Amino acid sequence: MTQVQGISYLDLVDKYDAPLYVYDADNIKSMYDKFVNAFSVPKLKVHYACKALSNISVLKLIKSFGCGLDCVSIQELRLGLLAGFKPEDILFTPNNISEQEYDLAVQAGVNINIDNFEMLEYFGSTYPNIPVCVRINPHVMGGGNRKISVGHIGSKFGISIHQMPLLEKIIKTFDIKINGIHVHTGSDILDSDIFIHASKVILDVVDKFDSVEYVDFGSGFKVAYKQGGLQTDIEDFGQEFSNMFNEFCESCNRQLELKFEPGKYLVSHAGVFLVRANVIKRTTATTFVGVDSGLNHLIRPMFYDAYHDIINISNPNGKPKIYSVVGYICETDTFGEDRKLAEVSKGDILMIKNAGAYCYMMSSNYNSRYRPPEVMVHQGKDYLIRERESFDNIMQLQCDPDFL
Ligand SMILES: Cc1ncc(COP(=O)(O)O)c(C=O)c1O
């Protein structure tokens, strides 16, 4: 994997320097097509969960497929509008935000999702004519690990499935129109039976509300982070899910729209992160490759114990050796422990794979370092879609008053 659409990754590093994020636009398009084609239902709308990667060029690309957007903050929403998404194609699915932020979303005219009773009552009294979608917590443990599981009983997300009588009471009292029911149980769901189980729980809720027009089943589709690793078989899943959904619609004689909000599935594989080996350091137990990056640029391995494949693209046929790839941040920032890599020399470029989702987006200026640039390759051409930060960016918002 040394090229993207005929362009060598090493040439991209020569042009833009390392560390560098690179996204393959064609890969995003093929994942979108694969996803959409997996389902056979009369009405399907996919809303890209842009928290995964919200660069405006990526948003414009995804919009060009006819995809909608899922936003969790007013800033993501503004980015979406700027990218050209129509308000009716945007879902706003935040949690624990203020009334003021909801007011801004209402003014923007997007689809509102609510996940607690207090906000539902606020909506009922402030915007009696605006329909809302409610997020239900089905109390299932879906998600690759506890940190990314959000549909269980201890999770902060959604309205508990055990509180349906209260939900019905509030809706009736405030005369709220519920136009959608939403569920999202977590990322990296290993077992699609759990997804189907949670979905059945949600369809029982849909049954209670005649006004519901769409059911949004969130996301959680798993991608393989290792060669041969587990991933959601989207064709099988799509078939099984479509059958279940169609049967439900037929049984209640309703034409509901099916929605999903994939993030990782669409963009994870499309991205790679390229870093340069600064130091090769042998200790008694380990040979470290110290690279010009760290948890400030890609925190998933340290935050979630996430696994990302790493390869040496400068010396792909080199003798395999064991290394721990670590960052330059003054914390323990290990990208990969005891990995077999083709022999690494100082200056080599290592590729960290599956860096499209939740990688750049979780980056920071920790240790006062710059965030890296992002490049997108589209139809055989590379485009700089975000510049490398500079010292001006580090100082930009600091005020430096004369206080001493
Ligand atoms: C409400 C909601 N929808 C969609 C997603 C996207 O999930 P994934 O990236 O696993 O597809 C998330 C992820 O956190 C989410 O919280």
Side-chain angles (χ1 to χ4, degrees):
M1 191 179 166
T2 52
Q3 291 196 339
V4 49
Q5 297 178 33
I7 301 177
S8 141
Y9 281 110
L10 291 177
D11 286 349
L12 291 175
V13 171
D14 280 346
K15 184 165 172 184
Y16 300 103
D17 209 356
L20 175 70
Y21 275 100
V22 181
Y23 310 123
D24 177 352
D26 289 4
N27 186 278
I28 299 176
K29 171 75 169 115
S30 71
M31 294 309 278
Y32 175 77
D33 289 343
K34 198 168 163 187
F35 189 90
V36 171
N37 292 333
F39 296 90
S40 44
V41 294
K43 286 201 273 182
L44 170 73
K45 185 84 188 175
V46 176
H47 296 259
Y48 167 55
C50 70
K51 63 173 80 68
L53 180 61
S54 69
N55 186 296
I56 191 155
S57 300
V58 173
L59 299 189
K60 285 182 176 175
L61 174 83
I62 289 180
K63 183 192 159 287
S64 75
F65 309 156
C67 187
L69 200 65
D70 170 49
C71 300
V72 292
S73 70
I74 200 72
Q75 292 79 9
E76 283 188 355
L77 198 161
R78 287 180 64 181
L79 277 169
L81 293 174
L82 215 57
F85 285 92
K86 290 199 211 107
E88 60 267 32
D89 289 335
I90 299 181
L91 301 176
F92 188 57
T93 60
N95 71 98
N96 296 331
I97 64 163
S98 66
E99 285 91 346
Q100 289 79 5
E101 196 168 332
Y102 267 118
D103 293 342
L104 293 172
V106 169
Q107 284 161 27
V110 299
N111 297 289
I112 303 289
N113 184 298
I114 291 189
D115 93 332
N116 66 74
F117 288 134
E118 211 180 317
M119 201 53 73
L120 199 56
E121 288 174 354
Y122 170 75
F123 248 79
S125 45
T126 318
Y127 302 111
N129 300 318
I130 296 197
V132 293
C133 171
V134 286
R135 178 171 181 169
I136 306 295
N137 182 333
H139 299 329
V140 297
M141 185 57 91
N145 64 54
R146 194 169 169 89
K147 277 190 186 159
I148 53 175
S149 294
V150 293
H152 56 84
I153 198 157
S155 160
K156 68 170 181 168
F157 295 94
I159 292 171
S160 165
I161 189 71
H162 301 312
Q163 289 177 305
M164 291 306 102
L166 182 53
L167 176 65
E168 287 178 80
K169 215 182 271 183
I170 291 174
I171 286 172
K172 200 161 167 223
T173 310
F174 287 87
D175 197 20
I176 298 167
K177 184 183 169 202
I178 298 294
N179 65 348
I181 297 290
H182 175 238
V183 63
H184 172 76
T185 57
S187 273
D188 261 358
I189 300 175
L190 290 168
D191 181 356
S192 22
D193 288 349
I194 291 179
F195 201 110
I196 301 271
H197 167 67
S199 304
K200 286 184 176 157
V201 171
I202 292 310
L203 288 177
D204 287 343
V205 178
V206 174
D207 221 10
K208 296 182 194 299
F209 301 105
D210 289 341
S211 55
V212 167
E213 293 157 6
Y214 66 87
V215 195
D216 176 353
F217 290 93
S219 184
F221 304 103
K222 184 161 174 50
V223 301
Y225 277 87
K226 281 183 192 170
Q227 200 109 44
L230 269 181
Q231 57 185 332
T232 306
D233 182 334
I234 203 71
E235 279 96 6
D236 273 8
F237 174 83
Q239 181 100 53
E240 191 182 354
F241 198 91
S242 302
N243 290 343
M244 180 194 72
F245 192 73
N246 288 334
E247 269 169 33
F248 174 78
C249 291
E250 270 168 37
S251 71
C252 55
N253 200 19
R254 293 163 75 175
Q255 276 287 325
L256 296 163
E257 182 177 44
L258 173 61
K259 288 186 186 292
F260 287 106
E261 305 161 349
K264 185 179 282 186
Y265 188 85
L266 298 187
V267 298
S268 175
H269 276 306
V272 299
F273 185 45
L274 304 170
V275 295
R276 182 175 277 120
N278 276 343
V279 175
I280 317 293
K281 178 176 180 178
R282 200 179 273 274
T283 66
T284 37
T286 305
T287 304
F288 290 101
V289 182
V291 300
D292 60 352
S293 179
L295 61 75
N296 53 326
H297 295 157
L298 198 160
I299 199 172
R300 297 188 75 257
M302 308 89 191
F303 191 26
Y304 297 140
D305 294 328
Y307 182 98
H308 286 256
D309 257 345
I310 306 175
I311 56 172
N312 180 359
I313 61 168
S314 295
N315 182 26
N317 302 316
K319 212 164 36 163
K321 296 205 163 191
I322 309 284
Y323 299 97
S324 285
V325 180
V326 294
Y328 59 11
I329 290 295
C330 292
E331 304 279 347
T332 300
D333 54 349
T334 305
F335 287 113
E337 199 172 347
D338 291 340
R339 297 292 182 85
K340 197 155 74 169
L341 293 181
E343 187 166 15
V344 184
S345 308
K346 186 175 157 65
D348 280 358
I349 299 299
L350 305 188
M351 173 187 284
I352 303 181
K353 293 191 187 176
N354 274 63
Y358 308 109
C359 291
Y360 186 91
M361 298 316 300
M362 291 190 184
S363 64
S364 74
N365 289 123
Y366 188 42
N367 282 195
S368 297
R369 292 198 175 273
Y370 308 146
R371 288 185 181 86
E374 295 175 288
V375 164
M376 184 166 76
V377 180
H378 183 238
Q379 296 178 350
K381 252 186 102 180
D382 52 291
Y383 298 87
L384 182 66
I385 59 171
R386 192 189 306 259
E387 290 181 27
R388 187 180 305 284
E389 285 183 339
S390 65
F391 194 68
D392 284 348
N393 297 121
I394 302 287
M395 284 308 296
Q396 202 167 28
L397 299 176
Q398 299 196 38
C399 298
D400 197 16
D402 191 8
F403 64 96
L404 287 176

